[in-house]
Amino acid sequence: MHAVEDFIPYHSLEVSEEKMLQVTQDYYEKINKRRSLRDFSDKPVEKEVIENIIKAASCAPSGANKQPWTFCAVSSPEVKKNIRIAAEKEEYEGYHGRMSEEWLDDLKPFGTDWNKPFLETAPWLIVVFKQVYEIDEHGIRHNNYYVNESVGLASGFLLNAIHEAGLVALTHTPSPMNFLAKELKRPANERPYLLIPVGYPTEDAKVPNITRKPLKDIVEWY
């Protein structure tokens, strides 16, 4: 248990009750415009922008404040090419035998296939790794807690920050993803979690005409 002197005062955003309804409505309308995209421009994005986005992601809650995540930001054309080649190999296997017929049928409306040119076109790839355990400076292994939940929350913060910056992203999960750890030379305690291309959309970018579930289908009031 933390000693009392380890605690500091908390200061909220102090949104008045009069403004709260409008603030939440405005936020919903803004985040509702977020879409996953596959049509990326090669227009550059400054490194400092990506730094701020990752810092925002790192503000997510985590089990026992272990912060069990690593964000690998890739802009090297050579590394992006290597990642694309390896990802497409796994994706080809997925579309030609690994995926069930039901899965393939569910993907048909989105027009996806094993070709992933956006992995080279997008100016940045952010590869999210989960730290399944922690290694201290002495090489001693320590437990992390609720790793998947914590890294999932951080990934959500990351996507929100990308959207807030006026950029677009795609949550890409080639399976298996072990090639990412090898390509990026990650330590043994890290496992790839998400591969996220980040950048600007092309001028003619399109997204599937889909809708979100209505509130009545996603909430129960008690």
Side-chain angles (χ1 to χ4, degrees):
M1 181 180 293
H2 290 286
V4 173
E5 57 265 28
D6 289 335
F7 286 76
I8 60 175
Y10 171 71
H11 301 286
S12 72
L13 294 178
E14 297 182 356
V15 178
S16 68
E17 292 185 14
E18 292 77 13
K19 291 183 178 180
M20 196 173 291
L21 181 60
Q22 188 62 54
V23 166
T24 53
Q25 179 66 28
D26 290 347
Y27 179 79
Y28 162 69
E29 291 177 1
K30 187 172 188 178
I31 199 64
N32 191 39
K33 294 178 181 178
R34 191 212 62 79
R35 294 294 302 272
S36 295
L37 202 83
R38 290 173 173 82
D39 299 326
F40 285 87
S41 165
D42 61 0
K43 181 180 177 181
V45 175
E46 291 185 12
K47 180 182 178 182
E48 289 75 16
V49 171
I50 301 300
E51 287 178 349
N52 287 336
I53 286 170
I54 291 173
K55 285 192 292 184
S58 74
C59 295
S62 61
N65 195 37
K66 289 283 191 161
Q67 303 168 60
W69 46 65
T70 302
F71 302 93
C72 294
V74 180
S75 62
S76 163
E78 180 182 359
V79 178
K80 288 194 296 179
K81 181 178 181 179
N82 291 343
I83 288 175
R84 177 187 177 182
I85 291 171
E88 286 184 337
K89 180 178 182 297
E90 300 298 348
E91 290 286 278
Y92 184 88
E93 295 294 330
Y95 278 87
H96 294 84
R98 286 181 183 156
M99 293 179 175
S100 68
E101 287 301 318
E102 182 179 11
W103 191 350
L104 292 171
D105 286 342
D106 285 339
L107 288 174
K108 282 180 180 178
F110 303 99
T112 62
D113 60 25
W114 62 272
N115 293 284
K116 309 298 177 185
F118 51 78
L119 293 176
E120 283 192 87
T121 306
W124 290 93
L125 302 179
I126 299 179
V127 188
V128 184
F129 284 86
K130 62 181 182 180
Q131 299 173 7
V132 293
Y133 55 90
E134 187 179 79
I135 303 176
D136 66 21
E137 64 272 18
H138 304 295
I140 299 174
R141 178 170 168 167
H142 302 276
N143 289 332
N144 284 332
Y145 311 101
Y146 300 104
V147 173
N148 286 329
E149 294 85 349
S150 300
V151 179
L153 288 164
S155 298
F157 276 43
L158 183 77
L159 294 171
N160 194 7
I162 291 168
H163 180 66
E164 190 74 19
L167 301 172
V168 292
L170 175 69
T171 49
H172 184 42
T173 52
S175 180
M177 292 196 289
N178 295 334
F179 67 89
L180 290 166
K182 182 178 180 181
E183 176 64 32
L184 299 176
K185 298 179 174 61
R186 301 312 306 157
N189 66 318
E190 293 187 2
R191 306 285 186 275
Y193 188 85
L194 280 175
L195 170 56
I196 305 177
V198 180
Y200 291 95
T202 60
E203 292 185 2
D204 59 350
K206 294 183 178 180
V207 293
N209 184 18
I210 60 175
T211 58
R212 308 193 193 280
K213 291 182 178 181
L215 187 64
K216 66 181 181 63
D217 290 346
I218 63 171
V219 64
E220 295 287 346
W221 302 100
Y222 296 89

